[in-house]
């Protein structure tokens, strides 16, 4: 039976130092000694055979050729058998809510894959519940047996004036949160035009973070590397994960930023940008790997940061270099080099025993000196975290939706209209601003399923106004009568519904109102798949493997409807993200994110 793991934070290094010295000198016994390993030293870039590691009080005390002097009567000894000793992996930028599960369940899913540190930005729950929602996830993170550090959300709403979220965060909120024990910095500053224009809210939040001595996260989602980019960097953001091209990575590193390269469930930006290192020879110390984001199905079936490291190695990086980008580089960026990111004296004893380095075959996972997983299975159980009623029942529709709510009235007398269409780009977060000529039937604009143009609508869900914004989208390939609705709709998290049948669109939205949020797919009046997410309409309160199974059914149902996009749910959930070009939908209307202006549906 798995033992229950409760968060036990080791003493600070300053308080533990004398005991660590005694263990390193052989005057006191270690709690755990791992012998005969190949030490992946991310400081020197070496792999050192015949290494012993001694651990005491949850920290590394001795790393060297023979820890026999640290073995006492109560010391547990593990023989690594020549396998690799790798620092615990760090995810430098992610949003737990995108995993469809709570922090607890996310940790349960990723620990067997070697993730022992996560830097999370809970701006999803912040857009629904505000500062109290951030506090809930902060407190849950503190209770975890691994290191879950929280970045205070910076942009709630993400684009003021272009969308209305369920809450709003202020400079005062950010300044208050900087004093919380587990806040590591400011979450991605998505309002990049605001930074370049010296918006007082953006400038104030960044200043509060810098005064607290913490890291400012970046998010520059434009391909324009001219003056707006230079103004953004001058404003203070220290990293960026929105690059998609090698030149994006180069530009960021040259300006003193860290280039965060992401491989999530639907974003594949490592291969193109890593060429800045493998081909252009840039210093790999300024590159960091992250996921941003992974849903439950990816976590359970494919992995987490082990998947990212494995992919980076396949793109031509040396294994030690790829591991540095997922360990030491991350720790240094967040000013935690003396706590995380390496196997070295004094650091938290987070390490992996790995049998195949290039394949990242993880045999055992240790966090703070305790074995947490072995053979891909958790060794421990993490108690569930109870979310209060105030975090639930957040989907307020204000009315029962009808098919007519999705009618798009054509200009009087028109037989055909030219409309703007949101174009999905597979495996990337940006969209294309497309146009299409659509027929008019009985005064209403009709979809064009043969040319992959179906309808998209955003339904307001925070205030119950009953508001519906209608538009068109291309890229999902739906061939049958169907509709998929989700209350996960970055970043304001209204309901997005995409479909080829207005009847199914109404049924799908109403169903989410009944269950308190989630994602659901209907076809011809029948519910084909449902993932309930009652916590803020963003997260399930079920086990990760159960959620993954439901997500699998959703993916299969989408395929049956004709959708062959990789991780189409993730693409669906970003269609309202009005801080990433080119064209998005919000409760305000259709938004051109290259100009940050509302545009008309009709061209």
């Amino acid at each position: 039976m798995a033992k229950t793991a409760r968060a036990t934070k080791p003493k600070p290094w300053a308080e533990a130092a004398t005991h660590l010295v005694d263990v390193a000198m052989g005057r006191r016994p270690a709690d755990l000694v791992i012998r005969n390993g190949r030490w992946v030293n991310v400081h020197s870039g070496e792999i050192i055979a015949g290494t012993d590691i001694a651990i005491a009080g949850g920290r590394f005390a001795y790393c060297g050729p023979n820890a026999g002097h640290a073995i006492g009567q109560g010391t547990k000894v593990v023989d690594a058998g020549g396998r690799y000793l790798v620092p615990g992996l760090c995810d430098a930028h992610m949003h737990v809510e995108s995993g469809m599960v709570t922090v607890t369940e996310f940790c349960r899913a990723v620990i067997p894959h070697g993730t022992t540190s996560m830097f999370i930005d809970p701006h999803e729950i912040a857009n629904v519940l505000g500062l109290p929602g951030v506090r809930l996830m902060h407190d849950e993170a503190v209770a975890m047996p691994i290191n879950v550090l929280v970045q205070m959300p910076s942009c709630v709403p993400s684009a003021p004036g272009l969308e209305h979220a369920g809450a709003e965060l202020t400079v005062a909120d950010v300044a208050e949160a900087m004093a919380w024990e587990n806040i590591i910095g400011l979450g991605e500053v998505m309002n990049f035009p605001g930074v370049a224009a010296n918006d007082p809210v953006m400038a104030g939040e960044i200043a509060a973070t810098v005064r607290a001595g913490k890291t400012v996260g970046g998010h520059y989602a434009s391909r324009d590397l001219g003056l707006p980019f230079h103004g953004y960097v001058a404003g203070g953001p220290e990293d960026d994960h929105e690059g998609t091209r090698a030149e994006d990575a180069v530009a960021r590193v040259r300006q003193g930023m860290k280039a965060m390269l992401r491989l999530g469930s639907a974003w594949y930006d490592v291969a193109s940008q890593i060429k800045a290192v493998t081909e252009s020879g840039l210093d790999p110390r300024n590159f960091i790997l992250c996921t941003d984001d992974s849903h439950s199905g990816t976590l359970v079936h494919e992995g987490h940061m082990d998947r990212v490291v494995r992919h980076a190695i396949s793109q031509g990086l040396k294994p030690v270099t790829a591991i540095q980008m997922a360990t030491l580089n991350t720790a240094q960026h967040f000013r935690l080099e003396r706590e995380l990111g390496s196997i070295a004296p004094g650091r938290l004893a987070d390490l992996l025993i790995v049998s195949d380095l290039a394949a990242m075959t993880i045999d055992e996972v240790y966090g703070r000196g305790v074995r947490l997983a072995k053979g891909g299975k958790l060794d421990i159980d993490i108690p569930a975290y109870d979310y209060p009623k105030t975090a639930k029942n957040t989907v307020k529709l204000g009315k029962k939706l009808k098919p007519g709510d999705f009618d798009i009235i054509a200009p009087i007398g028109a037989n055909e209209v030219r409309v703007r269409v949101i174009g999905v780009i597979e495996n990337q977060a940006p969209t294309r601003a497309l146009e299409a000529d659509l027929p008019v039937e009985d005064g209403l604009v009709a979809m064009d399923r043969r040319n992959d143009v179906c309808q998209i609508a955003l339904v307001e869900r925070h205030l119950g106004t009953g508001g519906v914004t209608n538009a068109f989208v291309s890229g999902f390939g739906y061939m049958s009568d169907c509709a998929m609705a989700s209350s996960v709709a970055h970043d304001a998290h209204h309901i997005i519904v995409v479909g080829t049948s207005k009847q199914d669109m109404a049924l799908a939205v109403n169903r989410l109102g009944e269950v308190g949020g989630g994602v659901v797919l209907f076809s011809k009046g029948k519910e084909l798949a449902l993932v309930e997410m009652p916590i803020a309409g963003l997260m399930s309160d079920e086990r990760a493997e159960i959620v993954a199974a439901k997500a699998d059914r959703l993916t299969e149902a989408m395929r049956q409807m004709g959708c062959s996009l990789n991780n189409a749910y993730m693409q669906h959930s970003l269609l309202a993200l009005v801080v990433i070009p080119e064209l998005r939908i919000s409760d305000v209307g259709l938004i051109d994110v290259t100009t940050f202006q509302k545009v008309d549906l009709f061209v």
Side-chain angles (χ1 to χ4, degrees):
M1 184 176 178
K3 58 184 179 292
T4 298
R6 301 188 185 278
T8 53
K9 285 200 171 183
K11 291 181 179 178
W13 191 346
E15 296 177 19
T18 55
H19 182 64
L20 296 176
V21 171
D22 284 341
V23 172
M25 294 296 292
R27 294 190 289 260
R28 288 192 179 186
D31 301 325
L32 170 68
V33 169
I34 300 176
R35 312 205 71 173
N36 188 27
R38 286 196 256 181
W39 180 14
V40 178
N41 192 311
V42 291
H43 290 287
S44 65
E46 303 170 279
I47 297 176
I48 306 167
T51 295
D52 287 0
I53 304 292
I55 295 169
R59 294 183 180 273
F60 296 115
Y62 170 89
C63 308
N66 187 347
H69 62 284
I71 298 175
Q73 187 173 1
T75 304
K76 181 178 181 180
V77 179
V78 173
D79 184 2
R83 291 173 293 175
Y84 299 93
L85 306 178
V86 177
L89 303 179
C90 308
D91 190 346
H93 177 71
M94 54 164 287
H95 311 282
V96 165
E97 304 98 313
S98 293
M100 304 179 172
V101 293
T102 61
V103 176
T104 301
E105 288 307 311
F106 203 101
C107 289
R108 288 185 68 256
V110 303
I111 288 171
H113 294 289
T115 300
T116 59
S117 297
M118 304 189 302
F119 296 80
I120 71 171
D121 179 354
H123 72 210
E124 320 302 351
I125 200 168
N127 272 275
V128 179
L129 298 176
L131 194 61
V134 178
R135 186 77 209 203
L136 283 171
M137 291 190 71
H138 169 278
D139 292 351
E140 184 181 12
V142 171
M144 295 300 102
I146 61 173
N147 316 302
V148 184
L149 293 309
V150 181
Q151 293 177 287
M152 177 60 186
S154 64
C155 299
V156 179
S158 63
L162 297 180
E163 66 177 358
H164 299 95
E168 182 177 350
L169 295 181
T170 66
V171 175
D173 292 330
V174 170
E176 175 188 333
M178 287 300 142
W180 298 353
E181 65 173 303
N182 210 35
I183 294 290
I184 197 64
L186 187 65
E188 55 181 316
V189 180
M190 294 177 286
N191 186 359
F192 53 91
V195 175
N198 273 331
D199 175 83
V201 174
M202 292 296 93
E205 291 183 357
I206 292 171
T209 305
V210 174
R211 290 191 193 103
K214 300 185 178 183
T215 305
V216 179
H219 170 117
Y220 184 79
S222 172
R223 296 168 72 91
D224 182 356
L225 298 177
L227 290 183
F229 171 68
H230 289 270
Y232 182 75
V233 179
E238 299 173 71
D239 59 58
D240 189 52
H241 55 271
E242 288 295 335
T244 59
R245 308 165 298 175
E247 56 261 44
D248 295 329
V250 170
R252 285 149 175 79
V253 169
R254 284 177 177 170
Q255 295 293 321
M257 302 178 84
K258 302 297 183 185
M260 287 189 176
L261 315 184
R262 62 185 174 187
L263 178 74
S265 292
W267 333 129
Y268 286 61
D269 299 323
V270 174
S272 58
Q273 294 188 89
I274 204 63
K275 293 176 182 178
V277 174
T278 58
E279 296 181 6
S280 299
L282 268 63
D283 190 336
R285 291 178 299 176
N286 296 306
F287 291 77
I288 294 172
L289 297 175
C290 67
T291 60
D292 185 43
D293 290 308
S294 299
H295 72 61
S296 56
T298 302
L299 299 178
V300 171
H301 302 309
E302 300 179 44
H304 189 230
M305 285 306 298
D306 58 329
R307 169 177 176 259
V308 185
V309 171
R310 194 180 303 122
H311 175 71
I313 293 170
S314 75
Q315 298 304 313
L317 282 184
K318 294 179 180 179
V320 174
T321 304
I323 291 167
Q324 286 172 323
M325 292 181 183
T327 56
L328 181 61
N329 293 8
T330 305
Q332 289 176 332
H333 177 57
F334 287 102
R335 300 163 173 82
L336 290 174
E337 182 182 351
R338 287 176 62 83
E339 283 290 292
L340 309 174
S342 67
I343 298 173
R347 278 70 173 179
L348 293 176
D350 303 333
L351 84 157
L352 319 175
I353 298 179
V354 174
S355 51
D356 186 327
L357 200 60
M360 283 303 292
T361 305
I362 300 171
D363 297 338
E364 298 182 36
V365 179
Y366 290 80
R368 304 170 186 173
V370 175
R371 195 176 75 186
L372 304 178
K374 181 178 182 181
K377 303 288 185 183
L378 273 178
D379 248 5
I380 49 111
D381 189 35
I382 309 172
Y385 191 83
D386 188 25
Y387 274 77
K389 290 182 179 179
T390 54
K392 301 177 182 179
N393 300 315
T394 62
V395 176
K396 303 177 179 69
L397 298 180
K399 66 179 183 181
K400 187 172 183 179
L401 276 292
K402 299 178 180 178
D405 289 312
F406 305 103
D407 286 344
I408 298 176
I409 300 172
I412 296 175
N415 295 317
E416 184 179 81
V417 292
R418 176 163 283 254
V419 299
R420 290 182 170 87
V421 178
I422 302 170
V424 173
I425 304 175
E426 187 166 26
N427 293 330
Q428 288 193 6
T431 63
R432 292 190 180 94
L434 306 177
E435 295 180 1
D437 294 316
L438 297 181
V440 175
E441 300 173 359
D442 298 324
L444 302 177
V445 183
M447 299 174 239
D448 187 358
R449 193 180 305 179
R450 290 176 301 175
N451 291 306
D452 191 20
V453 178
C454 60
Q455 199 160 325
I456 180 172
L458 184 141
V459 180
E460 198 281 330
R461 68 105 159 174
H462 298 304
L463 301 176
T465 65
V468 179
T469 303
N470 287 299
F472 295 97
V473 65
S474 177
F476 288 100
Y478 292 131
M479 297 303 294
S480 299
D481 287 350
C482 65
M484 189 173 87
S486 170
S487 57
V488 178
H490 306 274
D491 274 334
H493 297 293
H494 295 290
I495 289 177
I496 287 179
V497 58
V498 173
T500 58
S501 160
K502 295 176 186 178
Q503 179 184 5
D504 288 326
M505 292 172 75
L507 289 169
V509 173
N510 291 331
R511 182 66 167 135
L512 294 186
E514 294 170 2
V515 301
V519 55
V520 66
L521 179 64
F522 271 79
S523 178
K524 299 178 180 178
K526 181 181 178 183
E527 182 181 299
L528 300 186
L530 170 67
V531 184
E532 303 94 329
M533 300 185 212
I535 301 172
L538 302 173
M539 296 178 287
S540 171
D541 51 8
E542 295 184 296
R543 289 283 191 175
E545 55 269 28
I546 295 173
V547 179
K550 291 182 177 182
D552 287 346
R553 287 196 289 274
L554 175 70
T555 300
E556 179 55 33
M558 293 178 77
R559 286 199 191 101
Q560 292 174 4
M561 296 299 101
C563 181
S564 60
L565 274 178
N566 178 50
N567 278 303
Y569 162 72
M570 297 288 278
Q571 300 279 10
H572 177 110
S573 69
L574 258 69
L575 292 173
L577 188 50
V578 292
V579 292
I580 298 182
E582 292 176 344
L583 193 61
R584 305 280 166 170
I585 191 172
S586 85
D587 62 309
V588 171
L590 203 57
I591 307 298
D592 182 337
V593 191
T594 62
T595 62
F596 283 87
Q597 298 286 330
K598 177 184 175 181
V599 293
D600 196 71
L601 176 62
F602 300 109
V603 179

